Amino acid sequence: MVSQTANHVRHINSENTPPVTRLVATSFKVRTGIQGASRRRRALVSGGAHRPRHAVEHAKKRKGQAQPKYPLASVRMDVPTTSRDVEMGDSTTVSKSTAGISLPRRLARSEITEIPVSTLQAVAPELVHTHIDYIREGLECLGPDMLRVLAGIKAEPVSNVLPKELSIIVNDVSSDMPTHMFAVFSSHQPAPVRRRVTLFPAHNLVFATHCANLPILPTSTPALVECAGQEIKVPVVPLCIPAPEVFPQLSTFLYTKRIDHLLVSLMPLPTPPQLYRDDPTTVMPLLTQFAQRISDTYTVNTLLQHIAKVHGTWRNVMALGIADERLWCALDTAWEVLLTSLAISTGKPHLMTESA
């Protein structure tokens, strides 16, 4: 096993750390703040730039449509063979200089899934009878503070065998402490290759309220840390997903719910807000113009790398069972723009209109 720690988790100098702190909290900022945060969010965020009404409504319509029994339409394009391989379609060599790739015209949706009661019961039994949307609304206000706590975490190095618990140092106490350390690895890694594992601290409530396919997490209560620099221990949870390399983008979105921030991490250029804020039926000219600018600026190889990021994020979303409409709005927008850019770059812009 080859292990590494995510960039925002710094290593511990084990010779200069205070004793392990095991404190039981009688109340937690996140759980007790959900009600007030939810009210503030309704007052402040309604119709905001990162909560696009028209695009979200469009995403809901697509989600509510029955999935076809036949395979979704795909588009086939010829790209230079020097382009980076992507894991999203069959690839066959056309000539010495080009290869044909087949990409789904649209990203398929899984059937609507509800969060199992057992998943929430395992992490927050006191919230089992609270409507899931109400909890998510509260977390949306509190998520940025929780994310800052994660950014200040230092973790000790891991040997070739994953421990059941991991010591971490916390340097930000503005919100609840992380409850678990996800050991993320790929579900597509060949057996003979040493498994590459990356560690990500996480709050169980954030993932339990968004991921219908999340395994039942070991019981863990956030420690009550009184000052920065204290050490706590969290359980380590193996998490197998299709594309670990884009897990940070997805994780950050679940904490912030910011479409604009997610698109910055997936797209080569800043995405015009109108593409995810306005009615999708009225922004096609702007989308085509933006796709043309990307095509004029970047190589086919770069476009394929960004397509792989979006597709990898989609595969993670499907694997974890996430049904967030703003997330789907961002993925739909990015996919449409990037495929249009690739079609323009390969000299076949008509493919997008013919398969729409």
Side-chain angles (χ1 to χ4, degrees), residues 23 48 65 73 80 113 175 189-190 216 239 252 267 283 288 316 331 347:
L23 298 175
Q65 294 172 352
T113 53
S175 188
Q189 205 157 358
I216 298 298
L239 186 64
T252 297
M267 300 290 286
V283 297
T288 303
N316 289 343
L331 293 177

Side-chain angles (χ1 to χ4, degrees), residues 104-178:
R105 177 60 184 86
R106 300 190 189 281
L107 296 175
R109 300 290 185 91
S110 61
E111 295 183 1
I112 300 174
T113 53
E114 300 293 336
I115 300 297
V117 175
S118 57
T119 300
L120 191 56
Q121 175 74 37
V123 302
E126 71 278 14
L127 296 177
V128 165
H129 300 295
T130 304
H131 195 282
I132 193 70
D133 289 340
Y134 194 72
I135 301 173
R136 289 169 179 163
E137 287 178 351
L139 286 172
E140 187 174 336
C141 263
L142 302 167
D145 287 339
M146 300 168 76
L147 197 60
R148 278 192 293 273
V149 170
L150 300 186
I153 296 295
K154 292 182 182 179
E156 64 181 8
V158 176
S159 63
N160 287 335
V161 178
L162 280 177
K164 292 184 178 180
E165 284 188 321
L166 190 67
S167 295
I168 60 175
I169 297 291
V170 294
N171 291 297
D172 188 309
V173 295
S174 60
S175 188
D176 278 8
M177 297 301 102

